[in-house]
Amino acid sequence: GAVVSQHPSRVICKSGTSVKIECRSLDFQATTMFWYRQFPKQSLMLMATSNEGSKATYEQGVEKDKFLINHASLTLSTLTVTSAHPEDSSFYICSANSEGVRTDTQYFGPGTRLTVL
Amino acid sequence: EDKVVQSPLSLVVHEGDTVTLNCSYEVTNFRSLLWYKQEKKAPTFLFMLTSSGIEKKSGRLSSILDKKELFSILNITATQTGDSAVYLCAVDDDYKLSFGAGTTVTVRA
């Protein structure tokens, strides 16, 4: 089956620093990648949708200047949390699919646990 | 605002029991309802439902959708400890997934 990896799996940083999270599709080309955030005991919340070679589409309430998304190739998308603050601490999960935006074929990465001190 | 509500939030059962998980939804442009299993990390896909009344089955898991009453149920029969996980319901609202908060199922030996 399709495999999506994320790196790092866990990161702890100081307030004010920027953190980059990578999402890679290992055995397929991902035309669309999604970034989600999950707070403890809560739902996954879609942050943004990105298509290779174009700007990401952000959900309402998500600051695009704070959460920079780059989908530079068909196998890699990055999420950069700029000037991170403790309230950005969360579990960030990406997903990818290779058939446009079909949601039944989204494959999820293992997630990245971000802790901002 | 779109909403996906799961119940119960958590439950504890013993091996061999049957569990029924509920998901109700209210979205603008319904396309499908999906169930996922999340064990510590990435959610894994279980079912996608698009039509009312047609049961989807996979081993001991089954699910059905009622588009008139706007809900779905996920059943797990003869539960095993490996079924312990968070079960997430998500609704495809115009190609975007809205997730419920999940139901935490704990199966005790």
mmCIF file of all heavy atoms in Angstrom, chain A residues 81-98:
data_model
loop_
_atom_site.group_PDB
_atom_site.id
_atom_site.type_symbol
_atom_site.label_atom_id
_atom_site.label_comp_id
_atom_site.label_asym_id
_atom_site.label_seq_id
_atom_site.Cartn_x
_atom_site.Cartn_y
_atom_site.Cartn_z
ATOM 1 N N VAL A 81 6.342 26.072 10.598
ATOM 2 C CA VAL A 81 5.674 26.876 11.624
ATOM 3 C C VAL A 81 6.635 27.993 11.993
ATOM 4 O O VAL A 81 7.697 27.730 12.580
ATOM 5 C CB VAL A 81 5.329 26.024 12.860
ATOM 6 C CG1 VAL A 81 4.555 26.850 13.886
ATOM 7 C CG2 VAL A 81 4.526 24.792 12.455
ATOM 8 N N THR A 82 6.315 29.199 11.605
ATOM 9 C CA THR A 82 7.223 30.326 11.836
ATOM 10 C C THR A 82 6.943 30.967 13.188
ATOM 11 O O THR A 82 5.792 31.031 13.631
ATOM 12 C CB THR A 82 7.082 31.381 10.730
ATOM 13 O OG1 THR A 82 5.743 31.886 10.751
ATOM 14 C CG2 THR A 82 7.367 30.785 9.360
ATOM 15 N N SER A 83 8.014 31.392 13.848
ATOM 16 C CA SER A 83 7.896 32.055 15.145
ATOM 17 C C SER A 83 6.901 31.306 16.037
ATOM 18 O O SER A 83 5.874 31.849 16.457
ATOM 19 C CB SER A 83 7.451 33.512 14.953
ATOM 20 O OG SER A 83 7.483 34.202 16.179
ATOM 21 N N ALA A 84 7.248 30.058 16.292
ATOM 22 C CA ALA A 84 6.343 29.186 17.045
ATOM 23 C C ALA A 84 6.135 29.687 18.473
ATOM 24 O O ALA A 84 7.055 30.223 19.109
ATOM 25 C CB ALA A 84 6.887 27.764 17.051
ATOM 26 N N HIS A 85 4.921 29.489 18.967
ATOM 27 C CA HIS A 85 4.580 29.834 20.339
ATOM 28 C C HIS A 85 3.972 28.620 21.015
ATOM 29 O O HIS A 85 3.536 27.677 20.339
ATOM 30 C CB HIS A 85 3.615 31.025 20.363
ATOM 31 C CG HIS A 85 4.264 32.312 19.997
ATOM 32 N ND1 HIS A 85 4.208 32.837 18.724
ATOM 33 C CD2 HIS A 85 5.031 33.169 20.713
ATOM 34 C CE1 HIS A 85 4.890 33.969 18.680
ATOM 35 N NE2 HIS A 85 5.399 34.195 19.870
ATOM 36 N N PRO A 86 3.905 28.615 22.338
ATOM 37 C CA PRO A 86 3.368 27.429 23.034
ATOM 38 C C PRO A 86 1.991 26.988 22.539
ATOM 39 O O PRO A 86 1.712 25.787 22.506
ATOM 40 C CB PRO A 86 3.330 27.887 24.493
ATOM 41 C CG PRO A 86 4.476 28.848 24.607
ATOM 42 C CD PRO A 86 4.480 29.586 23.290
ATOM 43 N N GLU A 87 1.165 27.916 22.121
ATOM 44 C CA GLU A 87 -0.177 27.528 21.648
ATOM 45 C C GLU A 87 -0.144 26.786 20.309
ATOM 46 O O GLU A 87 -1.156 26.230 19.875
ATOM 47 C CB GLU A 87 -1.094 28.745 21.539
ATOM 48 C CG GLU A 87 -0.597 29.850 20.638
ATOM 49 C CD GLU A 87 0.185 30.914 21.390
ATOM 50 O OE1 GLU A 87 0.797 30.605 22.434
ATOM 51 O OE2 GLU A 87 0.175 32.069 20.920
ATOM 52 N N ASP A 88 1.032 26.787 19.663
ATOM 53 C CA ASP A 88 1.191 26.015 18.416
ATOM 54 C C ASP A 88 1.537 24.565 18.705
ATOM 55 O O ASP A 88 1.587 23.742 17.770
ATOM 56 C CB ASP A 88 2.292 26.633 17.544
ATOM 57 C CG ASP A 88 1.968 28.053 17.115
ATOM 58 O OD1 ASP A 88 0.779 28.331 16.838
ATOM 59 O OD2 ASP A 88 2.904 28.892 17.068
ATOM 60 N N SER A 89 1.787 24.253 19.970
ATOM 61 C CA SER A 89 2.088 22.868 20.325
ATOM 62 C C SER A 89 0.897 21.994 19.963
ATOM 63 O O SER A 89 -0.233 22.255 20.380
ATOM 64 C CB SER A 89 2.368 22.750 21.831
ATOM 65 O OG SER A 89 3.498 23.522 22.187
ATOM 66 N N SER A 90 1.157 20.969 19.180
ATOM 67 C CA SER A 90 0.068 20.136 18.696
ATOM 68 C C SER A 90 0.651 18.935 17.957
ATOM 69 O O SER A 90 1.871 18.792 17.833
ATOM 70 C CB SER A 90 -0.820 20.945 17.738
ATOM 71 O OG SER A 90 -1.967 20.214 17.363
ATOM 72 N N PHE A 91 -0.229 18.093 17.462
ATOM 73 C CA PHE A 91 0.142 16.955 16.630
ATOM 74 C C PHE A 91 -0.212 17.331 15.202
ATOM 75 O O PHE A 91 -1.366 17.623 14.905
ATOM 76 C CB PHE A 91 -0.637 15.723 17.105
ATOM 77 C CG PHE A 91 -0.170 14.408 16.554
ATOM 78 C CD1 PHE A 91 1.166 14.038 16.653
ATOM 79 C CD2 PHE A 91 -1.054 13.529 15.961
ATOM 80 C CE1 PHE A 91 1.604 12.815 16.168
ATOM 81 C CE2 PHE A 91 -0.623 12.308 15.475
ATOM 82 C CZ PHE A 91 0.703 11.951 15.573
ATOM 83 N N TYR A 92 0.796 17.370 14.342
ATOM 84 C CA TYR A 92 0.567 17.774 12.958
ATOM 85 C C TYR A 92 0.649 16.528 12.075
ATOM 86 O O TYR A 92 1.627 15.781 12.109
ATOM 87 C CB TYR A 92 1.607 18.809 12.519
ATOM 88 C CG TYR A 92 1.433 20.136 13.219
ATOM 89 C CD1 TYR A 92 2.018 20.367 14.464
ATOM 90 C CD2 TYR A 92 0.648 21.144 12.662
ATOM 91 C CE1 TYR A 92 1.840 21.578 15.120
ATOM 92 C CE2 TYR A 92 0.465 22.361 13.314
ATOM 93 C CZ TYR A 92 1.060 22.563 14.540
ATOM 94 O OH TYR A 92 0.871 23.765 15.193
ATOM 95 N N ILE A 93 -0.381 16.308 11.293
ATOM 96 C CA ILE A 93 -0.449 15.122 10.425
ATOM 97 C C ILE A 93 -0.656 15.563 8.986
ATOM 98 O O ILE A 93 -1.484 16.430 8.707
ATOM 99 C CB ILE A 93 -1.618 14.199 10.822
ATOM 100 C CG1 ILE A 93 -1.521 13.795 12.288
ATOM 101 C CG2 ILE A 93 -1.653 12.957 9.947
ATOM 102 C CD1 ILE A 93 -2.691 12.919 12.734
ATOM 103 N N CYS A 94 0.090 14.945 8.092
ATOM 104 C CA CYS A 94 -0.138 15.214 6.678
ATOM 105 C C CYS A 94 -0.788 13.991 6.049
ATOM 106 O O CYS A 94 -0.723 12.888 6.582
ATOM 107 C CB CYS A 94 1.155 15.551 5.953
ATOM 108 S SG CYS A 94 2.234 14.140 5.676
ATOM 109 N N SER A 95 -1.434 14.216 4.945
ATOM 110 C CA SER A 95 -1.943 13.104 4.153
ATOM 111 C C SER A 95 -1.715 13.429 2.683
ATOM 112 O O SER A 95 -1.530 14.594 2.314
ATOM 113 C CB SER A 95 -3.424 12.839 4.428
ATOM 114 O OG SER A 95 -4.220 13.882 3.886
ATOM 115 N N ALA A 96 -1.723 12.393 1.872
ATOM 116 C CA ALA A 96 -1.446 12.589 0.459
ATOM 117 C C ALA A 96 -2.277 11.628 -0.359
ATOM 118 O O ALA A 96 -2.624 10.543 0.092
ATOM 119 C CB ALA A 96 0.044 12.346 0.183
ATOM 120 N N ASN A 97 -2.617 12.060 -1.567
ATOM 121 C CA ASN A 97 -3.185 11.108 -2.504
ATOM 122 C C ASN A 97 -2.709 11.414 -3.906
ATOM 123 O O ASN A 97 -2.095 12.451 -4.161
ATOM 124 C CB ASN A 97 -4.713 11.039 -2.405
ATOM 125 C CG ASN A 97 -5.399 12.312 -2.818
ATOM 126 O OD1 ASN A 97 -4.854 13.123 -3.547
ATOM 127 N ND2 ASN A 97 -6.618 12.499 -2.345
ATOM 128 N N SER A 98 -2.937 10.476 -4.764
ATOM 129 C CA SER A 98 -2.386 10.575 -6.119
ATOM 130 C C SER A 98 -3.471 10.721 -7.165
ATOM 131 O O SER A 98 -3.199 10.682 -8.345
ATOM 132 C CB SER A 98 -1.555 9.335 -6.447
ATOM 133 O OG SER A 98 -2.357 8.182 -6.382
#
